[in-house]
Amino acid sequence: SVSGLNVYAYGTVNGATGAGILAFADSADRAFVVLSSGAQVSGATFAIENNGSGSTILVEGGAELIGDVSLNDGSDTLAILGATLTNVSLLDGGDDISTGDTFVDRLNFSGFTGTLGADLRNWENISVSGGQLSYTGPAIDTGELVVGQNGRLTVTQPNFV
């Protein structure tokens, strides 16, 4: 059972002057967002933005995320489950990459096959499984990078360290 804010997107969501989905939940609760197959989410500032609460964001196969994601403070999980990512230049998990503050942010690519040029910032854990991520972005900012079963990560960035 998830308490807090629950958002399920099945069609087109466009934040004309702000975020497509602006998920604000009490800091003691979680925001739970699902982009189901056929959903297209975009916004003027971010496709998805969360406040200081924890959040779980699932972008399912057949859904399209158009634009950036900013999850701010709280323990957050962003799961890209075979979805389409369009015009994404930033996937930001929140506060930092340290687990010492008890905020643990996870970015999971599961069944995702494609190229991503976004800045991956402030994730304590990034994992790739069951697909192939070709990364061409400027930076991966994470405490741990895991390539799991049937996953493949190819980095093609000349300045990647």
Side-chain angles (χ1 to χ4, degrees), residues 42-115:
S42 63
T45 56
F46 296 103
I48 300 173
E49 183 179 8
N50 183 40
N51 68 338
S53 70
S55 65
T56 300
I57 316 290
L58 304 176
V59 186
E60 296 180 342
E64 184 175 14
L65 183 64
I66 306 167
D68 298 340
V69 174
S70 178
L71 299 181
N72 297 302
D73 282 352
S75 291
D76 304 299
T77 298
L78 174 59
I80 309 296
L81 308 172
T84 300
L85 304 177
T86 305
N87 296 327
V88 176
S89 63
L90 174 66
L91 296 176
D92 189 343
D95 63 320
D96 57 32
I97 62 170
S98 169
T99 58
D101 59 9
T102 71
F103 294 146
V104 178
D105 303 307
R106 293 176 175 86
L107 175 59
N108 303 321
F109 293 93
S110 181
F112 175 83
T113 296
T115 299

